[in-house]
Amino acid sequence: MSRTRWRYGITATALLVAAGLIPAPAHAEDTTDYAITVDPTAKGARIDDTMYGVFFEDINRAADGGLYAELVQNRSFEYSTDDNTSYTPLTSWTVDGTGRVVNDAGRLNARNRAYLSLGAGSSVTNAGYNTGISVQKGKRYDFSVWARAAAGTTLTVTLQDADGSLATARRVAVTKSGWAKYKATFTATRTSSAGRLTVGSAAAAALDMVSLFPRDTYRNEPNGLRKDLAEKIEALHPGFVRFPGGCLVNTGSMEDYSEASGYQRKRSYQWKDTVGPVEERATNANFWGYNQSYGLGYYEYFRLSEDIGAMPLPVVPALVTGCGQDKAVDDEALLKRHIQDTLDLIEFANGPVTSEWGGKRARMGHPEPFHLTHIEVGNEENLPEAFFARFKQFRAAIEAKYPDITVISNSGPDDAGTTFDTAWKLNKDAKVDMVDEHYYNSTQWFLQNNDRYDSYDRNGPKVFLGEYASWGNAFKNGLAEAAYMTGLERNADVVKLASYAPLFANEDYVQWRPDLIWFNNHAAWNSANYEVQKLFMNNVGDRVVPSTATGTPALTGPLTGAVGLSTWATSAAYDDVRVTDADGNALLSDDFSGDASQWTHTGGGSWSIQDGQYVQTDVAAENTMVSAGDPSWHDYDLKVKATKKSGKEGFLVAFGVKDTGNYYWWNLGGWNNTQSAVEQAVDGGKSTLISKPGTIETGRTYDIDVKVRGRQVTLYLDGQEWGGFTDDKPAEPFRQVVTQDDKTGDLIVKVVNAQADAARTAIDLGGAKVASTARVTTLTADANAVNTETETPVAPVRSTFDGVAGEFTYTFPANSVTFLRIKRR
């Protein structure tokens, strides 16, 4: 069944032409900038229904304070300095009177360790997320609390903001002497995004799991999801949902949350911690610097996937840490336990109600299976041999018991380099079914690498592009991603799954940019990138119709730019900088025996001349760039001596420097001093051109030599050639792909014009018999346009175009993504 969906409103074509939102018809004989030729008789790759999906990771407060609809922050008083050095058990709470958080034998249960002991006549108030607890007039909100107090004790619960009451206060009678759950319901009398929830007690009381949920959750499910955020995922019609990480999966301790392990807080995300009654679920320190309550857990992920018609795709730890930790866990018993946990996860998803874990699923309210078909082991491991040794054991155990499950491996954290190459060789040699690739790169990289998968082995492992994005949420980033997605579709026989990442960002708690959907406690909005993803996901098609288009010639002019020095979380000293042209003539020479007047400081940090060296002393500063020379320099040698003095990394030597956002640099000892790479920055977004493992020693002086000739760069470290690259691929602004919807027979012509000029294009449909009218969806805006809570400059415009024929001309607007749906006759 086709996943293609088309929702449109017919608008008068003449009005849209007048407004400049669609082009006027043109004659085929007119001069054109591009030509697209379609071969409708040829068979291109089949496109799976699951081609495009989403990746949910609890980053940027995506879960608690985000998709998970709970309005109370730190509801169980479990916040800890393990989560964030600024946290206490009363973070987000204010006590009026006496109250303290206790961790003793009187707790609610063994996994819910802390609770609040509240003095008689005292109260406690919660501030929620962002500006507070958000409520809407007339909406209902369900309060609950686990309490222990003398029978007959009355709890008073109020909801208010600075202007007064937001709902009628509720009185809750404690009817039991031990821990029990008590409930009440509020109806908001005013709308506010700055609410506060207060619980007071006339007598001494113990409180835990203080909760407030909107009644109106997604599909009205208890312990449910925030409706507007879940509906934005649903509107994408994703083919799959990858969860829960990401770095959450492969960082921290691999132990469980139990007395035997000392209730370790900094653990990898382990699925058994996240199912069952919410008050019995574990708590954990989130890798991204806050607490995760696990109120949103595996059961809820499976339910979400089912509700939106998407394939669930869980990721489990492989016992090799990544994301800068890079450690292989050598514990055979622990490895076997995690492998068994993975088998139990499949049983939880698919097993009958008579099985142990299928029964657990049924008791949670879902006797039917979730139909799990794919599972991923590991995430971005930077130790490929250690990872793969463990991966093979997972795969063998899964295949032995569940041979129909596709087990997915990965290729590390980068799009190229030694780790990537080693991982891919291991995966190919072992005939792995699917390999997960991740990369975040500049717009230029995405425009240059549309052909990335053209040369992949058609008989090798398939590709899951589990995480990708260009560095930004402006429309130019969405355009670059759209151009790249035409290449993913063209190679749908190799690239079987793809998901932009990350999915969510709460604007007040951001650890990572860019992100697909932005929100706060009362509103949510679509990024420009979201609109691109939605357009592709809702118009995938079932097979590729082969087509070609004219393009841009290779770059021929020389690589130009000044030179620079920088550091990242490191103090380093530089000396004897010398730049010479191709004939050996000096362009720049500085031994720092005088001042640093030749250098311009454009980054952070603190630079000074010390003992005849140029020294950056701030070990916390990132990108401390100083530059010198002429941006028009070309064909030169840059030589410098560099010494690491202290800090986390090595040093950065820049060349081809045009301005603060456009340059190349040789990053020696980057990524916590684990690898070296050449990175290219374009408009501030970086991509890696070449990388190798390597570390930089503190106190040792290194001789660095960068030779630039034309567009070829060769790099030498201590007189030995380290590597090189040629940067001659054009950033092609005009990309296209054509697919066919088997259900409707429509040809879907998808064109990206990522440039400031309109593209008059001759389209030859290769003799296909077609209707004269096409349905059109266009995204077009200024390249730097960004959607916000209050403004949406990037939004789809739907129209019709009446000039379709076997050969016709269409003018694609500047900075646009255009889908033409053409009915075949």
Side-chain angles (χ1 to χ4, degrees), residues 71 105 197 309 370 386 428 430 435 546 619:
L71 298 174
L197 178 75
F370 284 118
K428 282 185 176 181
V435 177
V619 295

Side-chain angles (χ1 to χ4, degrees), residues 91-409:
T91 292
S92 198
W93 293 97
T94 303
V95 175
D96 184 6
T98 59
R100 63 190 180 93
V101 175
V102 180
N103 184 339
D104 64 15
R107 63 180 63 89
L108 180 59
N109 58 64
R111 287 158 70 83
N112 198 330
R113 309 290 293 166
Y115 65 95
L116 177 70
S117 176
L118 192 65
S122 300
S123 65
V124 63
T125 298
N126 190 265
Y129 298 93
N130 300 94
T131 54
I133 292 172
S134 179
V135 297
Q136 294 181 344
K137 182 179 179 179
K139 296 283 189 176
R140 301 178 74 186
Y141 297 85
D142 293 322
F143 166 82
S144 66
V145 63
W146 282 82
R148 186 186 66 207
T153 299
T154 298
L155 303 178
T156 301
V157 189
T158 61
L159 190 59
Q160 70 285 321
D161 64 9
D163 294 327
S165 175
L166 292 170
T168 302
R170 293 287 180 257
R171 297 186 183 278
V172 178
V174 175
T175 58
K176 300 178 181 179
S177 59
W179 284 107
K181 187 176 183 179
Y182 300 95
K183 300 179 180 179
T185 299
F186 292 99
T187 299
T189 55
R190 290 190 292 114
T191 293
S192 175
S193 59
R196 299 291 187 269
L197 178 75
T198 299
V199 182
S201 179
L207 306 179
D208 206 346
M209 296 295 291
V210 183
S211 174
L212 187 69
F213 261 90
R215 177 72 59 86
D216 188 19
T217 59
Y218 179 65
R219 303 214 173 189
N220 298 313
E221 292 176 354
N223 195 51
L225 307 182
R226 181 171 149 176
K227 188 174 182 179
D228 60 337
L229 298 185
E231 287 178 343
K232 286 190 179 297
I233 304 175
E234 182 181 50
L236 291 169
H237 298 295
F240 65 87
V241 180
R242 178 178 182 252
F243 60 89
C247 290
L248 304 188
V249 167
N250 69 337
T251 54
S253 168
M254 299 294 164
E255 299 286 350
D256 61 3
Y257 191 62
S258 67
E259 183 177 7
S261 65
Y263 293 103
Q264 294 190 44
R265 287 290 289 267
K266 295 185 177 182
R267 309 184 314 284
S268 63
Y269 195 111
Q270 299 173 47
W271 79 271
K272 288 181 179 178
D273 287 341
T274 76
V275 296
V278 291
E279 69 273 9
E280 296 177 8
R281 298 183 188 181
T283 188
N284 202 1
N286 184 294
F287 173 82
W288 298 107
Y290 51 91
N291 176 271
Q292 50 190 350
S293 71
Y294 288 143
L296 175 56
Y298 257 74
Y299 178 77
E300 290 74 30
Y301 287 128
F302 279 126
R303 285 296 300 264
L304 172 63
S305 301
E306 180 180 66
D307 287 343
I308 64 178
M311 176 182 79
L313 203 165
V315 187
V316 299
L319 272 72
V320 176
T321 58
C323 301
Q325 297 183 0
D326 299 340
K327 179 182 177 182
V329 180
D330 292 317
D331 185 328
E332 193 64 28
L334 190 58
L335 176 62
K336 288 181 179 179
R337 194 267 287 175
H338 274 268
I339 290 172
Q340 184 59 51
D341 281 356
T342 302
L343 298 175
D344 292 343
L345 171 59
I346 298 171
E347 183 177 285
F348 178 77
N350 295 348
V353 297
T354 54
S355 67
E356 177 184 359
W357 291 101
K360 178 89 167 182
R361 180 195 68 239
R363 289 190 294 276
M364 293 185 72
H366 200 283
E368 301 83 9
F370 284 118
H371 306 293
L372 178 68
T373 59
H374 291 63
I375 196 163
E376 183 172 355
V377 177
N379 171 76
E380 292 189 8
E381 282 72 28
N382 216 5
L383 303 173
E385 292 90 350
F387 160 73
F388 205 73
R390 291 156 180 77
F391 171 83
K392 288 191 295 183
Q393 295 185 59
F394 277 88
R395 184 178 67 163
I398 295 168
E399 289 182 344
K401 190 169 185 179
Y402 300 106
D404 294 334
I405 297 289
T406 298
V407 186
I408 302 172
S409 178

